[in-house]
Amino acid sequence: MSEMKKFRFWWIFRRGKKKYLVPSTVCACGVCTVVFVAILNVLSAVTRSYDGPPHSIVNTTRLATNVRKMTGISLRPTPMKRETSNVILDIDDGPEAAYMIHDFSDTDRHAQSGHIPETDTFYVDDYDKIDENAQKSHEHSKLQKISKGAAKRLPKALIIGVRRCGTRALLTFLRVHPDIRAPGPEVHFFDKHYHKGLEWYRKQMPSTLSSQMTIEKTPSYYVIKGVPEKVHRMAKHIKLIVVVRDPVSRALSEYVQLASKHSDIGSFEDLAFLNNATGLVDTSWSVLCNGVYSKSLVRWLKYFSLNQFHFVSGERLVEDPAGEIAKVQEFLGLKRMITSKHLYFNRTRGFPCVKKHERHGKPRCVGVSGSKHYPSVTPRLIKRLRDFYRPFNKRFYEITGVDFGWDDNN
């Protein structure tokens, strides 16, 4: 059995007939090492159940790791608990890194109540400022680094209308541009889903690089009350594109669309007139009201300046699509890359088509197949509608500074 006696500064260990002399300092270091290792194991166990700030866990774990490397002591691994944001950014891999503010909890709360305060507004033209500030601060986990990828961003331009004027054709042509991205279906955020908040709206957008532009199209935005104010709260310097056409042709086209969905709908003439004998127009019918462009434009101009708008002629978009698209590219501040070589006129459909769509090599055509199946209407009805729209058209020409020539149609 081992026997141990202390002799001045030496410890005498006796085992059997053999004696060993060990300095006291060596013994003390051995005891301290054992105690220190025990303390580190206790700290490791504590950090595994710790609910405090993440930085405390990181510092403790680093200490244990460094001691293990220096001493060669094997400690039990300590899992790190990481705090995560309540919003997850959907990103795609890409060639660059970006930063974005992603704490939209307050914005969502106010959006549900129908009001977003100015402090919660995220302006499209402030993205560069956000990127610059994000590189300098990471306070309260409000900034998230998106490494090597694109990000879902709020749109910098909106195609706000008008229905049955060629908005889908315009967006189809614009998709050819490599710097333009757009969501697939119409989002209807500002007229139907505003209560879901800006973060929901952003997630409906495609992932883009900082050099690309996100455009969203919902043609009902132009005529619905309250939408201009909501758009202004999101982005007061946003660019707005409005596609318009002869309001009489537009009304007939919208009626055809409604009739295709509702077989029990009445005739166009019965719906357009309150009294067929007097020719009194039913101004409450939305099909006719949607063509009073000046009334809706005045509502938008309460929140946006006229130079933020670009008006596309639906007729010229069919006759000279390359020319109209060139003007849109210039308005958006993009390099002119969509030209006549990307488009051709399909005589069967009566509409221009894209030679090569952005996602595949097949032509992409828009518009109805064959002839335009407008309802059978009398010349008297057409004349009455033109008389109805004439003063509104004149006012629209005065505001926009563009004479679209609809009153010259027969």
Side-chain angles (χ1 to χ4, degrees):
M1 187 173 182
S2 299
E3 181 180 338
M4 181 178 67
K5 292 182 179 181
K6 183 177 181 181
F7 179 72
R8 293 185 180 180
F9 301 104
W10 295 79
W11 287 85
I12 301 175
F13 291 88
R14 185 189 300 274
R15 185 175 181 82
K17 296 182 179 182
K18 296 183 179 181
K19 296 180 180 180
Y20 303 92
L21 297 179
V22 180
S24 300
T25 54
V26 174
C27 294
C29 290
V31 173
C32 291
T33 301
V34 173
V35 173
F36 188 57
V37 171
I39 293 174
L40 288 179
N41 279 296
V42 172
L43 290 175
S44 298
V46 171
T47 57
R48 285 193 295 273
S49 60
Y50 183 67
D51 293 327
H55 64 270
S56 300
I57 303 174
V58 174
N59 293 340
T60 305
T61 306
R62 286 177 179 172
L63 174 62
T65 303
N66 291 335
V67 171
R68 178 181 59 79
K69 290 181 179 179
M70 291 186 297
T71 62
I73 301 173
S74 177
L75 299 177
R76 296 177 63 183
T78 304
M80 293 176 59
K81 180 180 179 181
R82 297 184 182 273
E83 296 291 331
T84 58
S85 169
N86 60 337
V87 177
I88 305 299
L89 293 180
D90 299 323
I91 61 174
D92 298 330
D93 291 336
E96 65 179 23
Y99 292 80
M100 286 187 64
I101 290 180
H102 66 285
D103 188 359
F104 285 81
S105 56
D106 291 337
T107 303
D108 291 340
R109 184 178 69 254
H110 291 294
Q112 292 174 3
S113 64
H115 174 70
I116 301 180
E118 194 70 20
T119 54
D120 288 335
T121 302
F122 295 86
Y123 295 122
V124 172
D125 55 350
D126 286 341
Y127 279 139
D128 295 337
K129 188 180 298 183
I130 291 175
D131 292 343
E132 179 182 353
N133 294 337
Q135 297 176 12
K136 301 177 181 179
S137 174
H138 295 275
E139 298 178 0
H140 306 297
S141 301
K142 285 188 176 180
L143 301 176
Q144 177 171 339
K145 183 177 180 181
I146 308 174
S147 59
K148 297 182 180 180
K152 292 179 178 289
R153 309 172 193 272
L154 295 174
K156 292 185 178 181
L158 292 178
I159 301 176
I160 58 176
V162 179
R163 291 185 62 185
R164 309 307 299 170
C165 288
T167 56
R168 185 162 62 94
L170 175 64
L171 186 59
T172 300
F173 300 154
L174 290 178
R175 286 178 183 272
V176 177
H177 201 293
D179 292 335
I180 292 179
R181 298 293 306 280
E186 295 175 0
V187 181
H188 286 279
F189 172 65
F190 295 102
D191 58 349
K192 295 182 180 180
H193 303 292
Y194 190 66
H195 64 281
K196 296 182 179 179
L198 282 175
E199 176 60 7
W200 178 89
Y201 183 46
R202 187 184 62 79
K203 286 187 176 182
Q204 311 312 307
M205 301 299 113
S207 297
T208 59
L209 303 176
S210 60
S211 60
Q212 295 177 314
M213 173 179 288
T214 301
I215 297 179
E216 192 248 315
K217 175 191 79 75
T218 301
S220 59
Y221 288 164
Y222 187 71
V223 299
I224 295 181
K225 295 180 180 180
V227 170
E229 181 181 4
K230 295 174 183 177
V231 174
H232 185 266
R233 290 183 184 277
M234 180 193 74
K236 61 181 179 181
H237 299 300
I238 197 169
K239 295 186 176 183
L240 304 167
I241 301 174
V242 184
V243 187
V244 291
R245 65 185 288 199
D246 180 355
V248 176
S249 300
R250 195 218 66 82
L252 293 171
S253 178
E254 185 172 357
Y255 171 80
V256 171
Q257 185 184 50
L258 290 175
S260 66
K261 299 178 181 179
H262 307 282
S263 58
D264 57 342
I265 191 172
S267 68
F268 182 88
E269 190 167 359
D270 290 341
L271 295 172
F273 292 146
L274 290 174
N275 189 316
N276 286 333
T278 61
L280 184 62
V281 175
D282 186 359
T283 57
S284 64
W285 191 27
S286 62
V287 171
L288 297 182
C289 291
N290 291 343
V292 183
Y293 306 134
S294 59
K295 184 177 180 180
S296 298
L297 181 57
V298 170
R299 188 163 53 240
W300 279 88
L301 290 177
K302 292 180 180 179
Y303 299 92
F304 301 94
S305 61
L306 187 61
N307 58 14
Q308 291 178 247
F309 290 84
H310 179 73
F311 300 93
V312 177
S313 169
E315 289 83 6
R316 289 196 291 270
L317 187 61
V318 175
E319 298 168 1
D320 181 22
E324 285 298 296
I325 296 300
K327 297 176 184 177
V328 175
Q329 292 176 92
E330 181 179 357
F331 170 71
L332 295 176
L334 299 174
K335 184 178 180 180
R336 186 179 297 184
M337 301 186 69
I338 307 174
T339 63
S340 57
K341 68 179 182 181
H342 298 97
L343 308 170
Y344 74 97
F345 190 82
N346 188 307
R347 296 184 180 277
T348 302
R349 291 178 176 269
F351 278 86
C353 301
V354 178
K355 291 182 179 179
K356 184 177 181 181
H357 193 245
E358 62 171 349
R359 294 186 179 88
H360 49 71
K362 299 180 180 179
R364 173 72 172 178
C365 295
V366 295
V368 296
S369 300
S371 61
K372 301 175 182 178
H373 302 287
Y374 286 161
S376 177
V377 293
T378 64
R380 171 181 169 273
L381 183 147
I382 297 297
K383 182 180 183 303
R384 181 67 189 94
L385 289 180
R386 293 209 180 281
D387 292 340
F388 168 74
Y389 282 119
R390 186 171 291 108
F392 298 111
N393 292 343
K394 182 179 180 181
R395 178 59 177 156
F396 188 65
Y397 298 165
E398 292 174 352
I399 298 176
T400 61
V402 181
D403 186 346
F404 292 90
W406 299 321
D407 298 320
D408 300 332
N409 296 333
N410 296 322

